[in-house]
Amino acid sequence: MPQPHRPTRPARPPRPQRARRGGAPGPRRGKDRPRWGVRLAAGLAVAVLGSGAIGHAVMTGLDTGIERVDPFKDMKNRPQAGHGLNFLLVGTDGRDKITPADKSAYRLGGAPCHCTDTVMLVHLSADRQRASVVSLPRDSYAELPEHRDESSGKQHGPHPVKLNAAYAEGGPQLTVRTVENMTRVKIDHYLEVDFASFMKTVDAMGGVEICTAKALHDQNTGLDLLPGSHRLSGGQALQYVRSRHVDGAADLGRMQRQQRFVAALIKQATGGGVLLNPVKFKEVSSTLLGSVRADRGFGSEQMLALGQALRDFTPSSSEFASVPIGNPSYAVKGIGSTVKWDEPKASKLFEALRLDRPLAPGAPGRQPASPPQRQPAVPVDVPPGQIRVQVENGTRIDGLGGRVDTALRATGFDTTRSPGNGASRDVKRTVIAYDPRWDRSARTVSTALPGSELRAVAGQGRTVLVIAGADYRKVVPVRPEDPHQGRFGVVTGDQVICGT
């Protein structure tokens, strides 16, 4: 019987040994620098990026590679500006720029649709302590304002479409106009990333670590990930954020994966490998600015300012939400099935952005010095709070059942709080007995009890039975892979990245 998989993390290099007390030095590697040296180097790197003259010297010349667009040209009746900074981040289907080899490797065949594949509204708070990312479903029901079609030159009156069609009909300007009309949030900067630029930027970052609690397979994109942690290259990351057929959630599930990816990207950038290294920061910035389309007001100065603002970010400084959905299958004649927003809830969400308020119940931001790290919680498919567990003691160790029940309850499982004694008192290996209809719940329990044996019992019902064996040592903390909390279904970055 296959054993439950436990996500793995890359091995860390050993720390240099400190000198022993009493004057006798321990073994020392000649090229290792003392800890104060590492801190000094990091501080100097921040100073390089933070100082005006040197920081601008590092970023000199990067503006020349930016392809410019003017999404705000002749726009009237725009929303009133709020506090903070708002970016419209658009991912376009630019497969015409992909090499034949990458098209084959990452299944990017077919003609490009010249439409938006991803639309995100990103708000950076006025105090630069919080980033709020709101995903707008590409199939959202939208009403385009009067405009001239970019392709045909034909003048169109207002008419309904799916949101991603705004780009096809009127490019960046019509996309910005449509999003501002729908959200009443004024856009300050526009950034457009296509498939090729996305891949280049991820590769320049050195890849991004993603973890998943379940296997992800999508024949359309070629995505094939086993449960666990994976460092994705640019092409693999593109498969991950594009996949819509790994479960029944379709585009809404894909948006959750995109949010997890952005959280992981923020962790990668703020973890010291990019923002604290001037050379690396310039390399990533050069790759990004040289392969995106942006408004005329966004360039190397803005990238430097963003780098300075984000250098103190932690994963908990970011929060992610999707627009509240009223009807996921709203039929429109001539268009088909669209995603209809829940207007009252959506209005409150965008009002919070305009007022520069956090979306999550506890405002994310720069955190004080953190307490000693607990064991990282492993992401699981089914939230432990949804799983009913009965514990039995399968050994002659007094109180073992109670300890297991308490430990499982502490990590979130709905235990009966009435542990009993098993039929056998000589169980060597902990057993998880479950009804096959609740196999996903059983796998979540097995993740919390590594090394346990999964045993299917037809007709047992939804309660999972844990028979504690002599091998029991501890319960591993677990967390739901897609936690949702608050009125907007918001998650913070630290809830969705690996190793938290």
Side-chain angles (χ1 to χ4, degrees):
M1 179 178 297
Q3 295 303 306
H5 180 87
R6 199 178 163 192
T8 57
R9 299 181 68 186
R12 296 180 179 175
R15 296 180 178 176
Q17 289 183 297
R18 297 181 178 180
R20 298 173 185 165
R21 293 183 179 179
R28 184 174 177 181
R29 290 157 54 187
K31 295 184 179 181
D32 284 335
R33 289 181 294 176
R35 281 170 118 28
W36 62 263
V38 176
R39 289 197 293 269
L40 178 60
L44 288 174
V46 172
V48 167
L49 287 179
S51 64
I54 301 178
H56 285 287
V58 169
M59 302 295 285
T60 296
L62 297 189
D63 285 348
T64 58
I66 305 176
E67 183 179 349
R68 295 297 183 181
V69 295
D70 191 359
F72 311 119
K73 182 180 180 181
D74 299 328
M75 286 184 62
K76 301 176 182 178
N77 301 318
R78 300 187 66 191
Q80 184 177 354
H83 301 288
L85 207 57
N86 298 312
F87 296 80
L88 186 63
L89 178 60
V90 169
T92 59
D93 182 351
R95 67 187 74 198
D96 49 338
K97 299 179 183 178
I98 302 292
T99 66
D102 283 345
K103 278 187 177 181
S104 175
Y106 305 117
R107 302 191 186 181
L108 294 167
C113 71
H114 299 293
C115 58
T116 51
D117 203 53
T118 299
V119 183
M120 289 182 173
L121 189 56
V122 182
H123 173 80
L124 186 62
S125 64
D127 62 8
R128 301 301 188 258
Q129 294 190 20
R130 183 183 69 257
S132 304
V133 181
V134 180
S135 296
L136 311 182
R138 67 177 192 174
D139 291 339
S140 296
Y141 174 85
E143 295 183 5
L144 297 187
E146 183 179 353
H147 65 279
R148 184 178 299 278
D149 192 304
E150 277 200 342
S151 301
S152 65
K154 182 180 178 181
Q155 187 71 23
H156 290 292
H159 63 280
V161 294
K162 294 182 180 180
L163 178 57
N164 68 339
Y167 186 92
E169 291 193 26
Q173 186 186 54
L174 186 58
T175 301
V176 170
R177 287 179 64 194
T178 303
V179 171
E180 285 194 345
N181 287 348
M182 296 172 74
T183 65
R184 304 311 302 162
V185 173
K186 186 175 183 180
I187 307 300
D188 299 298
H189 291 294
Y190 173 88
L191 292 176
E192 181 182 312
V193 181
D194 61 26
F195 289 171
S197 57
F198 176 87
M199 294 166 66
K200 290 177 184 176
T201 302
V202 173
D203 284 335
M205 296 277 289
V208 173
E209 185 185 19
I210 289 294
C211 53
T212 176
K214 57 188 175 185
L216 300 178
H217 303 290
D218 188 339
Q219 292 185 348
N220 292 51
T221 64
L223 179 70
D224 188 11
L225 296 180
L226 293 174
S229 297
H230 309 270
R231 181 162 290 276
L232 305 184
S233 66
Q236 293 170 322
L238 183 62
Q239 291 175 313
Y240 180 81
V241 299
R242 288 187 61 234
S243 291
R244 306 177 68 199
H245 304 284
V246 298
D247 50 37
D251 200 44
L252 300 180
R254 184 179 72 153
M255 287 194 304
Q256 290 179 336
R257 286 185 288 278
Q258 290 172 350
Q259 292 172 354
R260 284 201 293 271
F261 182 84
V262 173
L265 198 66
I266 292 173
K267 178 186 178 184
Q268 176 83 356
T270 58
V274 176
L275 296 183
L276 297 183
N277 184 327
V279 176
K280 189 69 174 177
F281 182 68
K282 181 174 182 178
E283 178 190 353
V284 173
S285 300
S286 176
T287 301
L288 177 63
L289 294 177
S291 57
V292 304
R293 299 213 301 168
D295 64 272
R296 300 184 185 281
F298 188 84
S300 58
E301 286 191 16
Q302 287 69 34
M303 275 299 283
L304 183 59
L306 275 178
Q308 293 170 343
L310 296 177
R311 68 178 182 233
D312 290 332
F313 258 43
T314 65
S316 63
S317 303
S318 57
E319 55 182 3
F320 299 86
S322 299
V323 178
I325 303 302
N327 185 348
S329 303
Y330 180 68
V332 180
K333 186 177 180 180
I335 300 176
S337 179
T338 66
V339 175
K340 186 75 169 175
W341 295 358
D342 183 322
E343 293 298 339
K345 291 182 179 178
S347 295
K348 291 180 180 179
L349 172 69
F350 296 122
E351 180 184 28
L353 291 187
R354 289 193 297 272
L355 297 177
D356 198 25
R357 293 174 179 168
L359 307 179
R366 296 181 184 129
Q367 302 296 315
S370 48
Q373 292 292 312
R374 300 173 58 189
Q375 180 175 356
V378 180
V380 290
D381 189 13
V382 180
Q386 297 179 10
I387 304 173
R388 186 68 166 169
V389 178
Q390 171 64 49
V391 178
E392 290 184 356
N393 186 354
T395 74
R396 300 182 186 279
I397 304 172
D398 290 340
L400 179 61
R403 293 203 303 274
V404 175
D405 182 281
T406 299
L408 287 171
R409 189 165 65 253
T411 200
F413 289 95
D414 179 24
T415 66
T416 63
R417 304 191 183 205
S418 301
N421 291 322
S424 171
R425 306 302 297 275
D426 296 311
V427 176
K428 299 292 189 293
R429 180 183 175 191
T430 299
V431 173
I432 298 173
Y434 66 97
D435 190 308
R437 293 175 296 173
W438 282 273
D439 60 322
R440 292 167 58 239
S441 295
R443 287 196 296 272
T444 291
V445 178
S446 72
T447 301
L449 294 167
S452 55
E453 175 189 346
L454 284 166
R455 184 178 298 172
V457 180
Q460 178 173 294
R462 66 179 292 266
T463 299
V464 176
L465 175 63
V466 172
I467 306 173
D471 66 334
Y472 171 78
R473 294 295 178 269
K474 64 179 180 179
V475 168
V476 173
V478 297
R479 60 172 173 83
E481 186 172 39
D482 292 311
H484 288 283
Q485 61 180 14
R487 55 180 175 166
F488 301 131
V490 183
V491 295
T492 52
D494 57 311
Q495 293 177 300
V496 293
I497 60 172
C498 300
T500 58

